[in-house]
Amino acid sequence: RCLLKMVKGNIVVPEEILSFCCNGLQGSTSPPRTREPGEQEEVLGAMANPSPPHNPTEVQMSQLVLPCHTNHRGELSTGQLLKWIDTAACLSAERHAGCPCVTASMDDIYFEHTISVGQVVNIKAKVNRAFNSSMEVGIQVSYEDLCSGKHCSICKAYATFVAQGPSGSKVKLKPLTPQTEEEKIEYSIAAERRRMRLVHKDTLKDLLTRSPRETELETRDGNAAVPAEKTRVESVELVLPPHANHQGNTFGGQIMAWMENVATIAASRLCHAHPTLQAIEMFHFRGPSQVGDRLVLKAIVNNAFKNSMEVGVCAEAYGQEMSISRRHINSAFMTFVVLDQGGRPRNLPMVAPEAGDGERRYREASARKKIRLDRKYVISCKQTEVPLSVPWDQSNKVYLSYNNVSALKTLVAKANWVLAREKDKVRMYTLEEDKFLSFRIEMSVCIAAGQAFSLLSDLRRRHEWDSHYASAELVQQVDDDDMIYHVVSETLSQENKPQDFVILASRRKPCSKGDPYVVAFRSVTLPTHPASAGFTRGETLCSGFCIWPESEETSKVAYYNQATPGYLNYVTTNVAGLSSNFCATFKACEKFLLKNKEDLIVRL
């Protein structure tokens, strides 16, 4: 192995040593033979040019589950799994940064299966995207049964790491260049996930502000609610050298494992059984702790629903001097279930919160459950499993916006686009995939990307260049980046009625150099605008514009559409060359942009 490293490092190795090592690896004891001229160069060339390397930040870890890693049921402890996940993710982050990295946060984790003794845990981690001083690491966890050869997915997680220089100073990270289609998709959507993390607290506050403040208690199966105070747990841990990472700070995975331990105890005190951890809502590290610190871990059941309960857990640190105030290190919310012998969730008793903070935690747990359901419904499901028009409300606006933009970015990053037609410098590409036929229309326009972005993101002006649009009314200005429109189309349906749409338009400016301006569209459902008898309600699953700057005054404008059944006839007619409507429409778009860019400059 050392020899291979020396060869790859272009270190000259004496021929006798090289020959002896090669023969020794083959189990031969014969003396080194004389190589023919040029033969050594061939060997070195073959060894120095292996198959194309994988992502340089990718880390793969395989762990055999031993009895010391398991709980009373012989299943892998979630705390131990969190340690391995954090270790693999940290190694991946440090490969990219080239310096020490610390865990800043861990996104929601949903555990799909348990893992038993004797099975192998396979963890793959790689950096999805690097920002200024932080980076997102994607982690995939699966298990392997060595006897049957079965492989099964356990969970997928996203962690944020921060690179640290001397004395804890932040380090500016080099950009990451994705290579494969999958890497390009993850790279593009990482910016959306980052945006969603930053607004998570505001989403929770907004939902609590609009929800009723009364705390309703009920009984189940004739049993009274259990006081939440009976589930409270407090435990202290002394941070020893084995608990620290290679930087001297307490290992983030160890803190998460300790938190999972006390949370499990709190959940057990409510159900008087052994609970199973189903999901973890974002770990957020607020500061470091070091060897010698005392970590106080607190947990309590915040709320219990019919088949699940939420446990809130936090970690605080202090040194030898008790007079120094405790430092809040971490906090998280964990969802537990209790399974019967058939593997089905059991009903749980209700929780009676204490007055004040207890009632606040009770209400917040209900709000977080709704947010989790919204996230799982809007984000986690495959597009083919989700209705085209998802109901929109204030509580899920962040996740609908995320889904809207990430769906378009995923479509943009696909690698198998095929040029179908080209006319008047307008190019039409198609992508046939599963149940969908998608198309892309693009051309270069003499307009700054920011100006094109401003003009194309306002659907109220779409009728000025798109003959399919009759009108578009702004129904709701959600925020600076998201608007909801009621659109009436000139196209008649099979019922010989005009079509109408309720469309969420989500805008994004570039996150970093090389990113496009994005305007994404998808159908939503609004109670204020139900389907009416005078129109046929149409739907769009994924469409929108991406605008790349080519120079200060030139942009590449591309329109994408994942065609729904009602739109297929238009697409296939243009692809087959029976119509040039797509070309005429896009040329009209170019004229619209050129005509209005001067007016836009004056207004700005």
Side-chain angles (χ1 to χ4, degrees):
R1 294 192 184 98
C2 293
L3 176 63
L4 292 176
K5 291 181 180 178
M6 294 167 70
V7 171
K8 291 180 179 178
N10 295 322
I11 297 176
V12 177
V13 183
E15 183 177 354
E16 291 78 8
I17 297 177
L18 178 65
S19 178
F20 176 77
C21 291
C22 291
N23 288 326
L25 289 173
Q26 297 169 2
S28 172
T29 57
S30 59
R33 67 181 178 86
T34 304
R35 295 189 182 276
E36 296 297 329
E39 185 177 356
Q40 180 172 337
E41 287 74 10
E42 292 179 6
V43 173
L44 292 174
M47 298 175 70
N49 294 284
S51 58
H54 58 267
N55 187 316
T57 70
E58 183 175 305
V59 170
Q60 296 189 23
M61 176 187 290
S62 293
Q63 297 282 357
L64 180 64
V65 179
L66 302 175
C68 61
H69 300 141
T70 63
N71 56 25
H72 66 285
R73 293 190 295 265
E75 298 169 351
L76 175 63
S77 162
T78 307
Q80 180 62 60
L81 179 59
L82 290 171
K83 287 184 186 179
W84 289 339
I85 288 174
D86 190 59
T87 300
C90 182
L91 292 175
S92 174
E94 291 184 347
R95 274 192 178 183
H96 180 71
C99 63
C101 296
V102 295
T103 313
S105 66
M106 185 82 72
D107 285 8
D108 299 359
I109 306 176
Y110 296 92
F111 299 99
E112 300 176 22
H113 300 282
T114 56
I115 308 171
S116 302
V117 170
Q119 294 177 333
V120 174
V121 179
N122 294 313
I123 303 173
K124 184 170 72 172
K126 58 183 177 181
V127 177
N128 290 333
R129 182 163 185 165
F131 300 97
N132 289 328
S133 60
S134 67
M135 69 200 95
E136 180 191 273
V137 180
I139 308 111
Q140 292 180 332
V141 184
S142 62
Y143 80 78
E144 174 187 356
D145 191 302
L146 296 177
C147 297
S148 65
K150 178 182 178 183
H151 292 256
C152 193
S153 174
I154 298 300
C155 65
K156 188 173 183 178
Y158 296 99
T160 301
F161 283 81
V162 175
Q164 289 193 330
S167 304
S169 59
K170 290 185 178 181
V171 175
K172 184 173 178 61
L173 295 170
K174 60 186 178 184
L176 182 74
T177 304
Q179 300 296 329
T180 67
E181 178 182 310
E182 178 188 357
E183 290 173 0
K184 290 176 181 177
I185 291 173
E186 291 290 355
Y187 176 91
S188 184
I189 301 178
E192 280 303 298
R193 284 190 289 262
R194 182 173 184 248
R195 183 177 185 271
M196 193 166 60
R197 292 181 199 112
L198 296 175
V199 300
H200 175 69
K201 286 186 178 180
D202 293 335
T203 303
L204 181 64
K205 290 179 181 178
D206 185 59
L207 180 58
L208 289 170
T209 301
R210 292 180 292 100
S211 61
R213 290 190 171 274
E214 295 80 13
T215 301
E216 298 181 1
L217 299 180
E218 48 182 299
T219 58
R220 293 198 185 118
D221 301 329
N223 297 320
V226 177
E229 275 300 305
K230 289 188 175 182
T231 70
R232 185 181 293 277
V233 179
E234 183 170 322
S235 179
V236 65
E237 297 283 355
L238 175 62
V239 181
L240 300 173
H243 302 141
N245 58 22
H246 50 296
Q247 305 159 43
N249 295 326
T250 311
F251 178 41
Q254 180 62 68
I255 296 176
M256 290 189 281
W258 282 334
M259 294 173 71
E260 185 268 338
N261 179 58
V262 295
T264 301
I265 296 172
S268 301
R269 288 181 175 175
L270 175 71
C271 61
H272 299 292
H274 297 291
T276 299
L277 182 60
Q278 187 180 54
I280 299 175
E281 181 171 315
M282 188 181 291
F283 283 104
H284 181 68
F285 289 88
R286 301 171 183 270
S289 64
Q290 293 81 31
V291 173
D293 278 346
R294 283 73 171 164
L295 258 62
V296 178
L297 303 133
K298 301 177 182 179
I300 189 171
V301 176
N302 291 332
N303 201 337
F305 308 99
K306 184 177 180 179
N307 301 121
S308 65
M309 69 185 99
E310 182 195 274
V311 179
V313 56
C314 73
E316 299 173 340
Y318 65 93
Q320 293 181 348
E321 299 296 331
M322 284 294 295
S323 58
I324 301 177
S325 60
R326 295 178 178 180
R327 311 186 307 275
H328 188 179
I329 298 299
N330 200 342
S331 58
F333 302 96
M334 305 187 184
T335 301
F336 289 86
V337 295
V338 179
L339 304 177
D340 61 19
Q341 292 183 346
R344 296 178 296 272
R346 284 171 33 186
N347 287 352
L348 299 174
M350 290 293 295
V351 168
E354 60 182 344
D357 284 344
E359 292 179 345
R360 173 186 57 80
R361 290 194 298 265
Y362 185 93
R363 293 180 62 249
E364 288 178 351
S366 297
R368 277 188 292 269
K369 182 180 181 182
K370 173 173 173 49
I371 290 173
R372 280 193 297 272
L373 290 172
D374 288 337
R375 268 201 300 251
K376 192 172 182 179
Y377 177 61
V378 175
I379 296 174
S380 301
C381 295
K382 296 179 181 178
Q383 288 185 330
T384 54
E385 299 171 355
V386 181
L388 295 184
S389 293
V390 177
W392 183 93
D393 62 43
Q394 285 286 339
S395 67
N396 69 0
K397 65 180 182 181
V398 173
Y399 312 110
L400 273 175
S401 178
Y402 167 90
N403 176 269
N404 192 15
V405 176
S406 61
L408 179 59
K409 287 185 174 183
T410 299
L411 188 61
V412 172
K414 294 291 184 180
N416 298 323
W417 290 97
V418 176
L419 180 62
R421 290 192 66 190
E422 183 172 4
K423 183 178 180 181
D424 296 335
K425 298 183 180 181
V426 178
R427 297 170 295 279
M428 183 176 190
Y429 298 80
T430 58
L431 174 68
E432 297 183 48
E433 188 178 52
D434 297 329
K435 301 178 181 179
F436 298 105
L437 172 64
S438 303
F439 69 92
R440 167 178 114 222
I441 307 173
E442 68 180 32
M443 69 181 303
S444 294
V445 184
C446 293
I447 185 173
Q451 295 173 334
F453 171 71
S454 177
L455 290 167
L456 295 176
S457 59
D458 188 353
L459 280 183
R460 291 171 297 184
R461 305 196 65 178
R462 180 80 171 255
H463 70 278
E464 296 182 34
W465 59 271
D466 190 343
S467 60
H468 297 92
Y469 274 59
S471 64
E473 172 196 3
L474 180 61
V475 174
Q476 187 165 348
Q477 180 80 39
V478 180
D479 52 38
D480 291 340
D481 295 324
D482 296 277
M483 292 76 67
I484 300 178
Y485 294 91
H486 178 232
V487 175
V488 177
S489 173
E490 294 281 7
T491 306
L492 297 180
S493 65
Q494 294 180 350
E495 293 84 10
N496 204 32
K497 297 178 183 178
Q499 288 184 301
D500 71 335
F501 303 80
V502 178
I503 292 178
L504 170 66
S506 302
R507 315 177 340 148
R508 297 289 188 273
K509 293 182 179 180
C511 179
S512 58
K513 186 177 181 180
D515 288 352
Y517 290 84
V518 176
V519 186
F521 306 121
R522 70 157 297 155
S523 291
V524 293
T525 300
L526 278 181
T528 56
H529 286 73
S532 61
F535 297 93
T536 298
R537 176 57 52 90
E539 294 182 313
T540 179
L541 176 61
C542 173
S543 63
F545 292 96
C546 283
I547 306 161
W548 287 269
E550 294 182 325
S551 67
E552 291 186 0
E553 297 183 355
T554 307
S555 306
K556 183 177 78 173
V557 179
Y559 176 74
Y560 295 80
N561 194 307
Q562 197 169 56
T564 52
Y567 210 58
L568 277 175
N569 183 53
Y570 169 77
V571 179
T572 54
T573 301
N574 279 276
V575 170
L578 299 176
S579 170
S580 294
N581 187 274
F582 82 94
C583 179
T585 300
F586 226 58
K587 293 298 286 185
C589 177
E590 179 187 25
K591 292 179 181 178
F592 166 77
L593 293 174
L594 296 176
K595 175 184 176 182
N596 290 279
K597 73 174 183 179
E598 299 299 334
D599 295 339
L600 188 61
I601 292 173
V602 171
R603 289 202 303 272
L604 293 175

